């Protein structure tokens, strides 16, 4: 059975793993603090990878990132606000550890792919994966493919609808956005507690009604704009299970009966409880998403016949990028 390598690049921690793809299973993993010096972090991860054998690599990274294989900065973190990581080449050091088929995507698109590939109901062709924590990110699979175009989705920065009683101004670059209203720092500010004390806010606090309404507006937008068939909510904030019924209720209230589908209008597992759901992978969604990327990269490379393959340059990063570009563009 082929061996897969996966890297989840997070703002706090990088996770590396070795696994297999049928079914997706992690057999070894390691964690590395995300340091201010990006080169040091990536060198540690690359060193760990270089000591192992694997057939493909998937990397899911915080962003913004450059996903355009024709770009000179493909595989880079670009305009991130994270200190020391602006314009960082992520894939260069990781591919230097071993030249294998690879896919690189965001840390929300990759879990969206994993959730879709392994947990979609029969006949479904779409899925949204949302993480709510330090920031808010949205990954999308539509028509069976991860969404990317001009750039990648940045759904955490769409405008938020708020309860009429909610007067909170928000935080960050876009205080009016979903992220500006319900990221961990925003929730802490709403409740007047330190960010590391969110767990102490009681479930019946009015703060959670405000948070749920904002997230309900996001779910309503995904429903109306993309006709998404399953919305997966994950991340540290969503570990609070009592938020889910509040978000479902807010989503239905905002849609106001306009979407006539039992997944929205119905109750229980035959209705909205199976439409807006927690991640099947829990806090492991990111690394399993990266493993899904590695599995997809390997299957693409095996399925596609590359013209003039014997003369292709697979000894450089750009050569591997060209290989994957040929695979994904057919």
């Amino acid at each position: 059975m082929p061996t897969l390598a996966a890297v989840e690049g997070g703002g706090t921690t990088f996770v590396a793993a070795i696994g297999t793809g049928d079914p997706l299973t992690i057999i070894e993993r390691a964690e590395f603090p995300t340091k201010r010096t990006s080169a040091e972090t990536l060198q540690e991860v690359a060193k760990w990878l270089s000591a192992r054998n694997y057939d493909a690599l998937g990397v899911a990274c915080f962003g913004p990132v450059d996903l355009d294989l024709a770009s000179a900065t493909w595989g880079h973190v670009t305009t991130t606000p994270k200190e020391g990581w602006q314009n960082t080449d992520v894939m260069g050091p990781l591919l230097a550890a071993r030249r294998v088929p690879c896919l690189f995507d965001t840390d929300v698109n990759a879990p969206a792919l994993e959730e879709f590939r392994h947990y979609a109901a029969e006949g479904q062709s779409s899925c949204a994966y949302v993480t709510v924590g330090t920031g808010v990110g949205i990954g999308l699979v539509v028509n069976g493919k991860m969404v990317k175009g001009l750039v990648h989705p940045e759904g955490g920065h769409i405008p938020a609808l708020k309860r009429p009683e909610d007067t909170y101004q928000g935080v960050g670059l876009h205080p009016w956005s979903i992220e500006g209203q319900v990221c961990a720092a925003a929730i802490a500010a709403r409740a007047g507690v330190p960010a590391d004390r969110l767990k102490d806010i009681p479930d019946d606090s009015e703060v959670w009604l405000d948070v749920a309404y904002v997230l309900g507006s996001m779910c309503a937008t995904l429903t109306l704009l993309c006709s998404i068939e399953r919305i997966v909510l994950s991340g540290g904030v969503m570990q609070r299970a009592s938020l889910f019924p509040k978000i479902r209720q807010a989503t239905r209230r905002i849609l106001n009966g306009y979407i006539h589908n039992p997944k929205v209008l119905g109750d229980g597992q035959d209705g909205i409880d199976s439409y807006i759901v927690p991640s099947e992978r829990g806090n492991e969604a990111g690394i399993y998403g990266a493993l899904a990327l590695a599995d997809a990269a390997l299957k693409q490379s095996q399925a596609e016949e590359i013209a003039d393959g014997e003369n292709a340059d697979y000894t450089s990063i750009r050569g591997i990028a060209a290989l994957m570009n040929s695979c994904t563009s057919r």
Side-chain angles (χ1 to χ4, degrees), residues 21 25 59 89 93 138 146 158 209 232 307:
T25 305
V59 179
D89 182 3
I138 302 177
M146 291 180 292
I158 61 177
L209 294 178
V232 181

Side-chain angles (χ1 to χ4, degrees), residues 4 7 23 34 45 51 66 70 83 126-127 134 143 147 170 174 201 240 261 285 293 304 322 329-330:
L4 308 172
V7 174
T34 306
V45 176
D66 187 348
E83 184 178 352
S126 62
C127 176
T134 304
N143 294 329
V147 173
H174 300 138
I201 305 173
R240 186 175 290 261
N261 187 286
L293 290 178
E304 297 292 343
S329 64
R330 293 189 180 192

Side-chain angles (χ1 to χ4, degrees), residues 112 115-116 120-121 123-128 140-145 226-231 275:
E115 289 280 349
F116 172 75
Q124 289 185 347
S125 63
S126 62
C127 176
L140 296 172
V141 172
V142 174
N143 294 329
K145 297 182 180 180
C226 302
S227 201
I228 289 296
E229 293 161 302
R230 183 166 169 263
I231 300 173
Y275 180 54

Side-chain angles (χ1 to χ4, degrees), residues 263-328:
K263 284 292 185 182
V264 174
L265 298 177
D267 294 317
Q269 287 304 311
D270 292 329
I272 200 166
D273 286 6
S274 63
Y275 180 54
I276 299 173
V277 299
S279 171
E280 294 283 352
R281 295 293 192 184
N283 286 335
E284 296 285 276
I287 191 62
Y288 273 98
L291 201 63
L293 290 178
D295 188 44
L298 184 61
K299 288 175 178 176
Q300 287 173 354
S301 69
Q302 291 172 337
E304 297 292 343
E305 179 179 348
I306 308 301
D308 299 323
E310 293 182 358
N311 298 321
D313 174 17
Y314 300 152
T315 63
S316 68
I317 296 169
R318 196 55 47 201
I320 293 176
L323 168 66
M324 296 315 303
N325 188 42
S326 176
C327 290
T328 57

Side-chain angles (χ1 to χ4, degrees), residues 52-65:
R52 286 148 181 87
N53 293 316
Y54 49 89
D55 301 294
L57 171 66
V59 179
C61 189
F62 70 89
V65 295

Side-chain angles (χ1 to χ4, degrees), residues 25-70:
T25 305
I26 293 174
I27 57 179
E28 185 182 6
R29 59 176 288 158
E31 296 188 2
F32 306 87
T34 306
K35 301 176 181 177
R36 286 189 176 183
T37 306
S38 57
E40 186 178 356
T41 304
L42 293 169
Q43 286 169 6
E44 290 179 358
V45 176
K47 181 179 179 181
W48 189 89
L49 289 173
S50 66
R52 286 148 181 87
N53 293 316
Y54 49 89
D55 301 294
L57 171 66
V59 179
C61 189
F62 70 89
V65 295
D66 187 348
L67 301 181
D68 182 1
L69 285 168

Side-chain angles (χ1 to χ4, degrees), residues 198-280:
L198 291 182
K199 63 182 182 299
D200 297 331
I201 305 173
D203 284 348
D204 60 359
S205 170
E206 190 171 354
V207 163
W208 298 119
L209 294 178
D210 293 332
V211 170
Y213 198 90
V214 170
L215 291 173
S217 78
M218 174 197 70
C219 291
T221 298
L222 290 170
T223 302
L224 293 166
L225 184 63
C226 302
S227 201
I228 289 296
E229 293 161 302
R230 183 166 169 263
I231 300 173
V232 181
L233 305 181
S234 189
V237 169
M238 295 311 307
Q239 299 308 301
R240 186 175 290 261
S242 62
L243 267 176
F244 280 88
K246 294 181 176 71
I247 294 168
R248 292 167 184 145
Q249 182 180 20
T251 302
R252 248 195 323 220
R253 178 181 171 186
I254 291 166
L255 290 173
N256 197 26
Y258 187 75
I259 300 298
H260 285 268
N261 187 286
K263 284 292 185 182
V264 174
L265 298 177
D267 294 317
Q269 287 304 311
D270 292 329
I272 200 166
D273 286 6
S274 63
Y275 180 54
I276 299 173
V277 299
S279 171
E280 294 283 352

